[in-house]
Every structure is written in structure tokens, then in C-alpha cells.
Amino acid sequence: MLKRPGIIIPVFFLSLVHATVTSQVHWQDAASAALGGCYITRQGFCCANQSQAGLGFIEQSSVTIQHCRPYLLKELGNSSFSGQFTTGTGAIGIALATQGLTGFRQTSLWLSYGMKLYSGISAGVGIHLWNSAITEQYIYAPGFSFALGLQVRINDQWKLGARLFHPAGWSALPAISIQKQMTIAAGCSYSFLKAGHFYSELHIKPEEGIILCNGLEWTLNQRTSLRTGVCNRPFTFSWGISLKFTKWVAEFAFQYRADSGLSPYTSLTHAW
């Protein structure tokens, strides 16, 4: 039993099955978390686990460490390491995340590759491996699946994207259905006034229906960007800031969900 911040629902129970399903699917990097969960047309840092097609457009190699504290619970934390490395016509990426309670830990690994097919079209594929461990058993619920992505740059202002997440796979735990985790996502982004970027996406899930995500990023100067976003199911309001230095980028984000409270995200990236 975990204590939950809030007035209406003071406590909740987190079962092994529920924790395994939710944490393997909804892990986000700080930037997309601040944008209300938008990631389809983004490129740059942390593409390996969310926007594999974005790897085809990156111009810098980078490594990122991140920590998230879901619902401000000290018992539950998510730490991750990711890297992406240019290969000429695209890039390869890796993302490793761990999360868990005392006696129950999860490990999630993404291996991704993105390729620039034409001047404005990029495609990507990622393989997702995960495992849950309990005190009595180090390999309790392993599984694997994959994702496919596509990005199209119409011009300097408009970008389109789509992603098929977990269309098929395998899990050793019968209670976890890969089909229930499947997500079809599509969206667009629009740049305006040389400083603003608007993102809009639809995420379709078998169990949850259509989820609408919108995000706005505003570049104040060469070093500072502000982000905010909203998602309708469950209702989520998010905001964050990005601070860029010569070869380092620090990002901070916060998500407030109506059903679970506040979650902070912090990441530090080194690019070259």
C-alpha cells in the first residue's frame, strides 16, 4: 500500500500486474512530458524509446540521464540512461530504464534505429525488451515487442508523424496482454513566429479509446525554452523548461494528473 498525495483518495493499492503494464508503456522523457505527452514529430534527445523515426533527422550524438518521481512518492522512482549516435544516413539509439518498489523492480531496454529515406522522410524501428523482478525471483515477467515510426517534413513549418507501438510481442506473464498495450499514434507540429512550436497528436488505444495531446514550446533565446501541454484522458496539465549550454542541456518538467497528482521529471544531456 502506498500513500498518495491528495484529499479525495488518500491511499491506493499497486498490484504487480498493474505496475508491470503501466510503467513499461508510459515512460516519457522530460521534453515530451512537458508537452502533454507529444512526441511523434519530435527529434533530438531521447528518441530511442518514443520517436524512432526522429533518429533519422538528428545531427548530434548525445547521452542523457533522467530521473522521474511518479506522484511524488519516495517509494517509487524511475531512472534512465539513453544515448543516440549518428551513422551518416540516420542514427542508432539505446534507452535503459529501471523502476520499482522495494522487492519489486522493473528493467526496460529499447534498441532503435532511424533512417533518412528521402530529403524530408524518415522511418524508424525499435525493439523493446523488459523484465520484472521480485525478491524471490530475478526473472519474474520478461517480455518483448517492437515499434515502427514515420516522420514527414512537408516544409520548414509543417511536420507529420505516425507510430505503431507494440503491435505484437510476447510476455511470460499471462495476465499482461500485448494487444492491450498497442497504441496507434499520429500527429503534426507547426512552427510559427520563429520561436513557437505547436504539437497536436491522437493516441488510439484498445482499452482507452482516443487520447488527444497538445503541446506548445516557446524559445525565449538561444539557451532557454518554455514548454506546456495538456492531455484529455486522464486529464493532464504539464509544463517545463529547457536550459541549453555549449554541450549540455538540462530539462525540467512537471505533470499534474487529475487521478494521481504531481510527477516531476529531471534530465541532463551531453551532446557533441
Side-chain angles (χ1 to χ4, degrees), residues 47-48 50-57 91 110-117 121-127 146-151 162-164:
C47 287
Q50 284 197 291
S51 178
Q52 291 84 15
L55 289 170
F57 285 123
W110 275 98
L111 300 172
S112 300
Y113 179 68
M115 177 182 295
K116 192 172 183 179
L117 302 179
I121 301 177
S122 175
V125 60
I127 300 175
F146 65 96
L148 302 171
L150 181 69
Q151 277 192 19
R163 187 190 190 221
L164 180 60

Short mmCIF file of all heavy atoms in Angstrom, two decimals, residues 47-48 50-57 91 110-117 121-127 146-151 162-164:
data_model
loop_
_atom_site.label_atom_id
_atom_site.label_comp_id
_atom_site.label_asym_id
_atom_site.label_seq_id
_atom_site.Cartn_x
_atom_site.Cartn_y
_atom_site.Cartn_z
N CYS A 47 15.15 9.85 -28.38
CA CYS A 47 14.27 9.31 -29.43
C CYS A 47 14.16 7.79 -29.37
O CYS A 47 13.23 7.22 -29.94
CB CYS A 47 14.78 9.72 -30.81
SG CYS A 47 14.52 11.46 -31.22
N ALA A 48 15.09 7.13 -28.75
CA ALA A 48 15.18 5.68 -28.87
C ALA A 48 13.92 4.97 -28.40
O ALA A 48 13.53 3.95 -28.97
CB ALA A 48 16.39 5.16 -28.09
N GLN A 50 10.73 6.55 -27.87
CA GLN A 50 9.45 7.15 -28.20
C GLN A 50 9.30 7.51 -29.66
O GLN A 50 8.26 7.28 -30.25
CB GLN A 50 9.23 8.41 -27.35
CG GLN A 50 8.85 8.08 -25.91
CD GLN A 50 8.25 9.28 -25.22
OE1 GLN A 50 8.92 10.25 -24.94
NE2 GLN A 50 6.97 9.21 -24.93
N SER A 51 10.31 8.10 -30.27
CA SER A 51 10.18 8.59 -31.64
C SER A 51 11.33 8.04 -32.48
O SER A 51 12.26 8.76 -32.83
CB SER A 51 10.17 10.12 -31.67
OG SER A 51 10.09 10.60 -32.98
N GLN A 52 11.25 6.74 -32.80
CA GLN A 52 12.35 6.10 -33.53
C GLN A 52 12.59 6.77 -34.88
O GLN A 52 13.73 6.86 -35.33
CB GLN A 52 12.05 4.62 -33.73
CG GLN A 52 12.07 3.78 -32.48
CD GLN A 52 10.76 3.82 -31.72
OE1 GLN A 52 9.74 4.25 -32.25
NE2 GLN A 52 10.78 3.39 -30.48
N ALA A 53 11.54 7.27 -35.54
CA ALA A 53 11.73 7.93 -36.82
C ALA A 53 12.51 9.23 -36.67
O ALA A 53 13.18 9.67 -37.59
CB ALA A 53 10.38 8.21 -37.47
N GLY A 54 12.42 9.86 -35.49
CA GLY A 54 13.17 11.08 -35.24
C GLY A 54 14.67 10.88 -35.25
O GLY A 54 15.43 11.84 -35.43
N LEU A 55 15.14 9.64 -35.07
CA LEU A 55 16.57 9.36 -35.13
C LEU A 55 17.14 9.65 -36.51
O LEU A 55 18.32 9.93 -36.65
CB LEU A 55 16.84 7.90 -34.74
CG LEU A 55 16.65 7.54 -33.26
CD1 LEU A 55 16.71 6.03 -33.09
CD2 LEU A 55 17.70 8.21 -32.40
N GLY A 56 16.31 9.57 -37.52
CA GLY A 56 16.78 9.82 -38.87
C GLY A 56 17.09 11.27 -39.15
O GLY A 56 17.76 11.58 -40.15
N PHE A 57 16.63 12.19 -38.30
CA PHE A 57 16.83 13.61 -38.53
C PHE A 57 17.82 14.25 -37.56
O PHE A 57 18.10 15.44 -37.67
CB PHE A 57 15.49 14.36 -38.42
CG PHE A 57 14.60 14.16 -39.61
CD1 PHE A 57 13.31 13.66 -39.45
CD2 PHE A 57 15.03 14.48 -40.88
CE1 PHE A 57 12.47 13.48 -40.54
CE2 PHE A 57 14.21 14.31 -41.99
CZ PHE A 57 12.93 13.80 -41.81
N ALA A 91 20.64 7.19 -37.42
CA ALA A 91 21.24 7.08 -36.10
C ALA A 91 20.73 5.83 -35.41
O ALA A 91 19.64 5.33 -35.71
CB ALA A 91 20.94 8.31 -35.26
N TRP A 110 15.35 -0.37 -24.68
CA TRP A 110 14.99 -0.07 -26.07
C TRP A 110 16.24 -0.04 -26.94
O TRP A 110 17.24 0.58 -26.56
CB TRP A 110 14.31 1.30 -26.17
CG TRP A 110 12.84 1.30 -25.92
CD1 TRP A 110 12.20 1.61 -24.74
CD2 TRP A 110 11.81 0.97 -26.84
NE1 TRP A 110 10.85 1.51 -24.88
CE2 TRP A 110 10.58 1.11 -26.17
CE3 TRP A 110 11.81 0.57 -28.17
CZ2 TRP A 110 9.36 0.87 -26.78
CZ3 TRP A 110 10.60 0.33 -28.78
CH2 TRP A 110 9.39 0.48 -28.09
N LEU A 111 16.18 -0.72 -28.08
CA LEU A 111 17.21 -0.65 -29.11
C LEU A 111 16.53 -0.17 -30.38
O LEU A 111 15.61 -0.82 -30.88
CB LEU A 111 17.87 -2.01 -29.33
CG LEU A 111 18.57 -2.62 -28.12
CD1 LEU A 111 19.01 -4.05 -28.43
CD2 LEU A 111 19.77 -1.79 -27.72
N SER A 112 16.95 0.99 -30.91
CA SER A 112 16.24 1.60 -32.03
C SER A 112 17.19 2.04 -33.13
O SER A 112 18.38 2.27 -32.89
CB SER A 112 15.44 2.83 -31.54
OG SER A 112 14.49 2.46 -30.57
N TYR A 113 16.62 2.17 -34.32
CA TYR A 113 17.38 2.66 -35.47
C TYR A 113 16.46 3.52 -36.33
O TYR A 113 15.32 3.14 -36.61
CB TYR A 113 17.92 1.50 -36.30
CG TYR A 113 18.70 1.96 -37.52
CD1 TYR A 113 19.92 2.61 -37.37
CD2 TYR A 113 18.20 1.76 -38.80
CE1 TYR A 113 20.65 3.04 -38.48
CE2 TYR A 113 18.92 2.18 -39.92
CZ TYR A 113 20.13 2.82 -39.74
OH TYR A 113 20.84 3.26 -40.84
N GLY A 114 16.97 4.67 -36.73
CA GLY A 114 16.23 5.56 -37.61
C GLY A 114 17.02 5.84 -38.87
O GLY A 114 18.24 6.02 -38.83
N MET A 115 16.33 5.90 -40.01
CA MET A 115 17.00 6.11 -41.29
C MET A 115 16.28 7.19 -42.08
O MET A 115 15.05 7.22 -42.15
CB MET A 115 17.01 4.81 -42.11
CG MET A 115 17.63 4.98 -43.50
SD MET A 115 17.59 3.44 -44.47
CE MET A 115 18.69 2.41 -43.51
N LYS A 116 17.05 8.08 -42.68
CA LYS A 116 16.50 9.12 -43.54
C LYS A 116 16.33 8.53 -44.94
O LYS A 116 17.30 8.27 -45.64
CB LYS A 116 17.43 10.32 -43.57
CG LYS A 116 16.84 11.56 -44.20
CD LYS A 116 17.77 12.75 -44.01
CE LYS A 116 17.16 14.02 -44.57
NZ LYS A 116 18.05 15.19 -44.37
N LEU A 117 15.07 8.31 -45.36
CA LEU A 117 14.81 7.67 -46.63
C LEU A 117 14.98 8.64 -47.79
O LEU A 117 15.61 8.33 -48.78
CB LEU A 117 13.38 7.11 -46.64
CG LEU A 117 13.06 6.09 -45.53
CD1 LEU A 117 11.62 5.64 -45.64
CD2 LEU A 117 14.01 4.90 -45.61
N ILE A 121 11.77 12.63 -45.49
CA ILE A 121 11.08 11.46 -44.96
C ILE A 121 12.06 10.60 -44.17
O ILE A 121 13.14 10.30 -44.64
CB ILE A 121 10.43 10.63 -46.07
CG1 ILE A 121 9.43 11.47 -46.85
CG2 ILE A 121 9.73 9.41 -45.48
CD1 ILE A 121 8.79 10.73 -48.01
N SER A 122 11.65 10.23 -42.97
CA SER A 122 12.48 9.36 -42.12
C SER A 122 11.61 8.26 -41.53
O SER A 122 10.44 8.49 -41.19
CB SER A 122 13.12 10.18 -40.99
OG SER A 122 13.83 9.33 -40.11
N ALA A 123 12.16 7.06 -41.42
CA ALA A 123 11.47 5.92 -40.82
C ALA A 123 12.34 5.33 -39.73
O ALA A 123 13.57 5.50 -39.74
CB ALA A 123 11.13 4.87 -41.87
N GLY A 124 11.72 4.64 -38.78
CA GLY A 124 12.49 4.06 -37.68
C GLY A 124 11.82 2.83 -37.13
O GLY A 124 10.61 2.62 -37.28
N VAL A 125 12.61 1.99 -36.48
CA VAL A 125 12.11 0.77 -35.83
C VAL A 125 12.82 0.62 -34.49
O VAL A 125 13.98 1.00 -34.34
CB VAL A 125 12.36 -0.47 -36.71
CG1 VAL A 125 13.84 -0.67 -36.98
CG2 VAL A 125 11.74 -1.72 -36.08
N GLY A 126 12.10 0.10 -33.52
CA GLY A 126 12.69 -0.12 -32.19
C GLY A 126 12.26 -1.45 -31.62
O GLY A 126 11.13 -1.90 -31.83
N ILE A 127 13.15 -2.10 -30.92
CA ILE A 127 12.86 -3.36 -30.23
C ILE A 127 12.83 -3.08 -28.74
O ILE A 127 13.75 -2.47 -28.19
CB ILE A 127 13.92 -4.43 -30.55
CG1 ILE A 127 13.96 -4.71 -32.05
CG2 ILE A 127 13.64 -5.71 -29.77
CD1 ILE A 127 15.07 -5.67 -32.45
N PHE A 146 7.92 -4.46 -30.21
CA PHE A 146 8.65 -3.54 -31.07
C PHE A 146 7.74 -2.37 -31.43
O PHE A 146 6.55 -2.33 -31.08
CB PHE A 146 9.15 -4.25 -32.34
CG PHE A 146 8.06 -4.74 -33.24
CD1 PHE A 146 7.62 -3.98 -34.31
CD2 PHE A 146 7.45 -5.98 -33.01
CE1 PHE A 146 6.61 -4.44 -35.14
CE2 PHE A 146 6.45 -6.44 -33.84
CZ PHE A 146 6.02 -5.67 -34.91
N ALA A 147 8.30 -1.38 -32.12
CA ALA A 147 7.55 -0.21 -32.57
C ALA A 147 8.08 0.24 -33.92
O ALA A 147 9.25 0.04 -34.25
CB ALA A 147 7.66 0.92 -31.55
N LEU A 148 7.19 0.86 -34.71
CA LEU A 148 7.54 1.41 -36.02
C LEU A 148 7.14 2.88 -36.07
O LEU A 148 6.10 3.26 -35.50
CB LEU A 148 6.83 0.64 -37.13
CG LEU A 148 7.08 -0.87 -37.21
CD1 LEU A 148 6.13 -1.50 -38.23
CD2 LEU A 148 8.52 -1.15 -37.58
N GLY A 149 7.95 3.70 -36.74
CA GLY A 149 7.64 5.12 -36.81
C GLY A 149 7.92 5.72 -38.17
O GLY A 149 8.70 5.17 -38.96
N LEU A 150 7.26 6.85 -38.46
CA LEU A 150 7.44 7.55 -39.72
C LEU A 150 7.30 9.05 -39.47
O LEU A 150 6.41 9.49 -38.73
CB LEU A 150 6.39 7.11 -40.74
CG LEU A 150 6.47 7.77 -42.14
CD1 LEU A 150 7.71 7.30 -42.87
CD2 LEU A 150 5.22 7.43 -42.94
N GLN A 151 8.20 9.85 -40.06
CA GLN A 151 8.13 11.30 -39.99
C GLN A 151 8.25 11.88 -41.39
O GLN A 151 9.06 11.42 -42.19
CB GLN A 151 9.24 11.88 -39.10
CG GLN A 151 8.94 11.87 -37.62
CD GLN A 151 9.93 12.71 -36.84
OE1 GLN A 151 10.62 13.56 -37.40
NE2 GLN A 151 10.00 12.47 -35.53
N ALA A 162 3.74 9.46 -37.52
CA ALA A 162 2.88 8.35 -37.10
C ALA A 162 3.74 7.30 -36.42
O ALA A 162 4.95 7.19 -36.70
CB ALA A 162 2.14 7.74 -38.29
N ARG A 163 3.12 6.53 -35.54
CA ARG A 163 3.86 5.49 -34.84
C ARG A 163 2.93 4.35 -34.45
O ARG A 163 1.81 4.58 -33.98
CB ARG A 163 4.51 6.06 -33.57
CG ARG A 163 5.43 5.06 -32.88
CD ARG A 163 5.83 5.58 -31.53
NE ARG A 163 6.90 4.79 -30.93
CZ ARG A 163 6.94 4.46 -29.63
NH1 ARG A 163 5.97 4.84 -28.83
NH2 ARG A 163 7.94 3.76 -29.16
N LEU A 164 3.39 3.13 -34.67
CA LEU A 164 2.69 1.92 -34.25
C LEU A 164 3.49 1.30 -33.12
O LEU A 164 4.63 0.89 -33.30
CB LEU A 164 2.56 0.94 -35.43
CG LEU A 164 1.84 -0.37 -35.14
CD1 LEU A 164 0.41 -0.11 -34.67
CD2 LEU A 164 1.85 -1.26 -36.37
#
